[in-house]
Amino acid sequence: MQNANPSIPNQDQIRRAPKVLLHDHLDGGLRPGTIVDIARATGYDGLPETDPAKLGEWFRAAADSGSLERYLETFAHTCAVMQTEEALTRVAAECAEDLAADGVVYAEIRYAPEQHLEGGLTLEQVVEAVNEGFRQGERRAREDGNRIRVGALLTAMRHAARSQEIAELANRYRDLGVVGFDIAGAEAGYPPTRHLDAFEYLQRENNHFTIHAGEAFGLPSIWQALQWCGADRLGHGVRIIDDIQTDEDGGSVKLGRLAAYVRDKRVPLEMCPTSNLQTGAATSYREHPIGLLRRLHFRVTVNTDNRLMSGTSMSAEFEHLVEAFDYTLDDMQWFTVNAMKSAFIPFDERLAMINEVIKPGYAELKAEWLFERTAAAPPVASGSAADGG
């Protein structure tokens, strides 16, 4: 990914650039080798492959299959090996390590505690095991020369009836590693308004929450998430593009009422380009709505969703966008600052991350070309005019 324009990053610069991740599922980012190890230790014999490399390929093939049934089956396997405190702590620690190695400096990782109770754990034990894993991962990353801070988002499944219980759990642990709440699962037939009690409770408690909306179901899902439920952010939100009209050459743009509201209110959109392609919300990276939304200055963020199933990383997501839209380091910084502004930690901490970590990191990358040019210049022969001879 080399380009004559020094502001367009190469793969190495993309990896080293400080990145912020707001939408990533813990049960969608396991290392294949870890799945195999835990399955062997716990006696789970349902894996389709026991060789880590082949298992990783199976997960990606299932996610790319276009079959919702096969896609959902992938999570049955990851959740099956996340039913003990030891497993949850290991998975969370490795998640933090892997993200830090990829240049992520701040991440909010979501998971549904209710999906990890089959081994007899309580909801509280699940949360504490995951939090301990994130802290371990942060320490190991620091020992490896990387820095990352991880916050947890507790997810309630929209087809279940435990959202109030999970919201209260998120509130109890809000100063102990949990930074907010989320609902996930199939949008069609399970509108966010089914969980109004949980959202109203969180609002009374001045707590933060995001809602999966506008991925599969379209504008009504976005409208309900914002106007009925009061979401701080939209998980995906890619279908907001349905409320934006453009002419054939894209020169004339007209925003509908909902799209204008989302932009005017600076509602953060947690977009996951590769995942959106797999679910059919976009047809290619070049045609992904993120290009138009970035041009129109919506508060767009770049995310991974499920790193294992999508075979992706934050660096890979940015590589695709740089290739599709010729994005520069300034564009990467714009997306990253957007994400940090939208994080669920206190304002002064967000500001410090932007001013003391993100902006200096990008400034250093932008300056590299100045030194590369001199380093690549051929040596001047002795006695030439360059030394006054």
Side-chain angles (χ1 to χ4, degrees):
M1 192 184 299
Q2 297 295 332
N3 195 296
N5 183 345
S7 67
I8 293 183
N10 58 38
Q11 287 183 335
D12 178 62
Q13 288 174 317
I14 291 173
R15 183 190 60 78
R16 289 186 290 120
K19 292 173 283 289
V20 172
L21 174 58
L22 299 180
H23 192 122
D24 186 87
H25 292 265
L26 185 63
D27 59 349
L30 283 72
R31 299 173 182 173
T34 295
I35 300 174
V36 173
D37 286 348
I38 299 175
R40 185 180 298 116
T42 58
Y44 176 67
D45 60 1
L47 294 181
E49 298 283 352
T50 55
D51 176 81
K54 291 181 179 178
L55 181 62
E57 292 172 1
W58 180 88
F59 273 102
R60 289 187 287 277
D64 284 332
S65 67
S67 165
L68 180 60
E69 184 175 296
R70 283 195 67 193
Y71 189 78
L72 294 178
E73 182 188 352
T74 62
F75 292 95
H77 294 304
T78 55
C79 286
V81 299
M82 297 171 65
Q83 300 299 328
T84 67
E85 290 178 289
E86 295 80 6
L88 288 166
T89 297
R90 175 178 175 177
V91 168
E94 291 177 351
C95 170
E97 284 184 284
D98 291 346
L99 293 176
D102 191 42
V104 177
V105 295
Y106 178 81
E108 292 181 358
I109 307 299
R110 61 191 70 194
Y111 66 97
E114 62 195 86
Q115 293 185 316
H116 305 287
L117 307 179
E118 295 177 9
L121 297 178
T122 64
L123 291 171
E124 289 78 9
Q125 287 174 320
V126 170
V127 173
E128 290 168 12
V130 172
N131 282 347
E132 172 58 25
F134 287 150
R135 304 294 81 78
Q136 287 185 16
E138 289 171 342
R139 290 193 294 270
R140 292 179 198 166
R142 190 164 55 246
E143 291 168 1
D144 290 337
N146 302 313
R147 295 179 299 174
I148 188 170
R149 177 175 176 182
V150 182
L153 296 175
L154 300 192
T155 297
M157 303 307 296
R158 61 203 307 156
H159 61 271
R162 304 189 75 162
S163 56
Q164 179 70 29
E165 186 180 11
I166 302 302
E168 292 174 0
L169 186 70
N171 203 55
R172 288 202 301 277
Y173 283 89
R174 65 187 300 180
D175 297 319
L176 300 169
V178 174
V179 297
F181 174 83
D182 169 46
I183 62 165
E187 291 181 64
Y190 301 99
T193 48
R194 285 168 49 110
H195 306 277
L196 274 178
D197 287 348
F199 298 127
E200 290 173 353
Y201 163 79
L202 290 164
Q203 288 176 314
R204 290 194 301 272
E205 294 294 329
N206 303 307
N207 212 334
H208 302 288
F209 59 93
T210 179
I211 295 177
H212 277 72
E215 180 186 17
F217 196 60
L219 295 175
S221 176
I222 294 175
W223 181 78
Q224 288 188 18
L226 294 176
Q227 309 305 354
W228 278 87
C229 304
D232 296 300
R233 302 192 315 236
L234 295 176
H236 297 288
V238 67
R239 294 289 295 278
I240 195 65
I241 198 74
D242 296 346
D243 202 37
I244 301 175
Q245 297 180 8
T246 61
D247 58 18
E248 289 188 3
D249 62 4
S252 176
V253 178
K254 181 179 180 181
L255 274 61
R257 296 286 191 187
L258 182 58
Y261 178 90
V262 168
R263 183 171 71 168
D264 292 347
K265 287 287 188 178
R266 316 308 298 143
V267 176
L269 304 175
E270 305 165 356
M271 293 203 168
C272 311
T274 300
S275 176
N276 295 155
L277 266 61
Q278 289 178 313
T279 60
T283 57
S284 70
Y285 292 106
R286 190 174 296 276
E287 299 298 323
H288 194 285
I290 199 169
L292 177 61
L293 296 171
R294 192 269 178 266
R295 181 157 62 87
L296 295 177
H297 297 283
F298 280 74
R299 183 173 282 187
V300 185
T301 67
V302 176
N303 303 276
T304 53
D305 203 10
N306 298 293
R307 287 170 288 119
L308 171 61
M309 288 73 175
S310 294
T312 194
S313 64
M314 280 295 284
S315 291
E317 295 295 330
F318 274 114
E319 286 174 25
H320 290 306
L321 296 179
V322 167
E323 182 176 356
F325 301 109
D326 288 331
Y327 281 154
T328 65
L329 286 166
D330 284 331
D331 292 302
M332 281 191 66
Q333 179 175 323
W334 184 85
F335 284 115
T336 304
V337 170
N338 273 354
M340 200 66 244
K341 285 180 178 178
S342 308
F344 287 163
I345 58 174
F347 172 77
D348 57 340
E349 297 173 22
R350 283 180 276 146
L351 196 62
M353 287 288 287
I354 290 170
N355 291 332
E356 298 174 21
V357 178
I358 294 169
K359 288 185 176 179
Y362 278 95
E364 183 175 348
L365 290 170
K366 292 174 193 176
E368 284 184 347
W369 70 275
L370 294 168
F371 301 95
E372 289 170 358
R373 285 190 177 184
T374 55
V380 177
S382 177
S384 70
D387 60 9

